Amino acid sequence: MSQPTYASQRTAPRGPGILVVTGGTDGIGRALAERRLGLGDTVAVIGRSRDKGEAFLAHARRTGAADRAHFIRADLGLLTENRRVIDRLRDAFPVIDTLVFCARYYRADRAETAEGIEETFAHFYLSRYLFGHGLADSLGRSAHPVVVNVAGPGAGLDVIRWDDLEFRDGYHGGAALGQAGKLNDLLGVTSAERYAEAGLRYVLVHPGATVTSLAGQYDEATRRHIEEMQRTAKPITQALEPIAAVVDRAPGQPLSAFVEGRELDVRTADFDVTAARRLDEVTEAFLENASA
Ligand SMILES: NC(=O)c1ccc[n+]([C@@H]2O[C@H](COP(=O)([O-])OP(=O)(O)OC[C@H]3O[C@@H](n4cnc5c(N)ncnc54)[C@H](OP(=O)(O)O)[C@@H]3O)[C@@H](O)[C@H]2O)c1
């Protein structure tokens, strides 16, 4: 397949609208939230830290956008919290134009949430699953709905541990994040399939190594690697551009994937529809069981 050029197949630029960013209180998510606030969007950001949320609101006040800025404090590792926030967003915003996933936290040691779910699986995958489906009605009322899932598209399906999605055995923080990234690819496949008729554009984005807070609980070796990254990786302003571009002008097709602005072919085995449907069934059953 010939690779489409980066700007060849975009929709028309979107005017001011409603933007929701999970993990929008820091790093790339925060930069996007502020950029869109400056362009006239109404923006809701979600994160755990009250201080970071207040800093976002203070920025909005300084720039005359206080009435369009919202912060919802929540731990997206908890299913109950995800559902609470989704309900609140549905009430507040019958129409949502763009939903962006940026929440991420590294765990060197395996940890479980208070609900007994492995933390990376919970906040980096299940949360995105719940938000995408839970806000589908609000997105469906937008003229040009877009979901941007910022993770790391393009890995092989073999990173998925179908029999041990929560890494009970042989946990590694990088592997847990890598697997969740792949699950997000497959979430994109089924979401694009399910909501294409409603006009949804689902965009998977890998920003590349970027100097952000890169928050996490690190072991010594990983900490050294992160410190090296903080010296050598690209600045947020650079990582933001391709993401801001897909928010402004969404790709024309229901599913697309980009690594640092370079488009991937989503018709390869890495985005296999059968695997995606299998994951969808597994996730539904998991959530049903977890909520029982
Ligand atoms: N930076 C990179 O090199 C890089 C590379 C590849 C992919 N990415 C992807 O880019 C996206 C943004 O990353 P970043 O580096 O900009 O992140 P970051 O600076 O570390 O910020 C992470 C954000 O997620 C929030 N968050 C973390 N855990 C949360 C939880 N359980 N509940 C609610 N909010 C939570 C944080 O808020 P609190 O602090 O309040 O929890 C913060 O707003 C992520 O999806 C990441 O996977 C980044």
Side-chain angles (χ1 to χ4, degrees), residues 166-202:
E166 295 182 80
F167 275 82
R168 290 182 195 285
D169 199 24
Y171 177 86
H172 183 278
L177 268 181
Q179 171 183 263
K182 187 69 231 168
L183 302 182
N184 280 307
D185 283 2
L186 298 183
L187 173 59
V189 172
T190 39
S191 301
E193 190 176 42
R194 194 172 303 171
Y195 303 119
E197 261 184 39
L200 181 75
R201 299 292 177 255
Y202 204 104

Side-chain angles (χ1 to χ4, degrees), residues 47-245:
R48 290 173 298 187
S49 156
R50 189 182 300 281
D51 288 350
K52 290 183 185 180
E54 289 300 333
F56 170 71
L57 295 177
H59 166 87
R61 282 193 296 276
R62 280 196 305 277
T63 55
D67 56 329
R68 292 185 283 108
H70 307 266
F71 164 57
I72 304 176
R73 189 178 180 210
D75 180 349
L76 297 177
L78 295 169
L79 303 181
T80 45
E81 284 283 271
N82 277 280
R83 292 182 173 125
R84 174 181 68 82
V85 175
I86 289 165
D87 283 348
R88 190 167 153 193
L89 288 167
R90 275 148 79 163
D91 286 348
F93 305 116
V95 179
I96 293 174
D97 297 289
T98 310
L99 172 61
V100 180
F101 301 131
C102 275
R104 166 259 182 222
Y105 188 85
Y106 187 94
R107 281 254 170 222
D109 299 318
R110 186 180 186 281
E112 292 188 355
T113 68
E115 295 170 336
I117 301 173
E118 191 278 309
E119 282 202 1
T120 301
F121 183 61
H123 87 272
F124 204 66
Y125 170 62
L126 292 177
S127 167
R128 296 176 184 211
Y129 185 96
L130 289 170
F131 263 73
H133 292 308
L135 295 176
D137 287 349
S138 294
L139 285 159
R141 291 187 199 101
S142 166
H144 302 289
V146 181
V147 173
V148 184
N149 192 329
V150 185
L157 290 171
D158 57 350
V159 302
I160 302 176
R161 293 188 181 189
W162 289 101
D163 297 328
D164 185 19
L165 289 171
E166 295 182 80
F167 275 82
R168 290 182 195 285
D169 199 24
Y171 177 86
H172 183 278
L177 268 181
Q179 171 183 263
K182 187 69 231 168
L183 302 182
N184 280 307
D185 283 2
L186 298 183
L187 173 59
V189 172
T190 39
S191 301
E193 190 176 42
R194 194 172 303 171
Y195 303 119
E197 261 184 39
L200 181 75
R201 299 292 177 255
Y202 204 104
V203 190
L204 302 160
V205 173
H206 189 332
T210 307
V211 180
T212 65
S213 82
L214 288 166
Q217 174 261 321
Y218 293 107
D219 55 39
E220 207 34 54
T222 316
R223 175 168 301 287
R224 278 199 298 276
H225 172 69
I226 291 295
E227 284 168 2
E228 176 63 16
M229 255 182 84
Q230 296 285 22
R231 281 191 294 274
T232 56
K234 71 173 82 136
I236 290 179
T237 45
Q238 204 176 321
L240 180 62
E241 287 317 313
I243 300 173

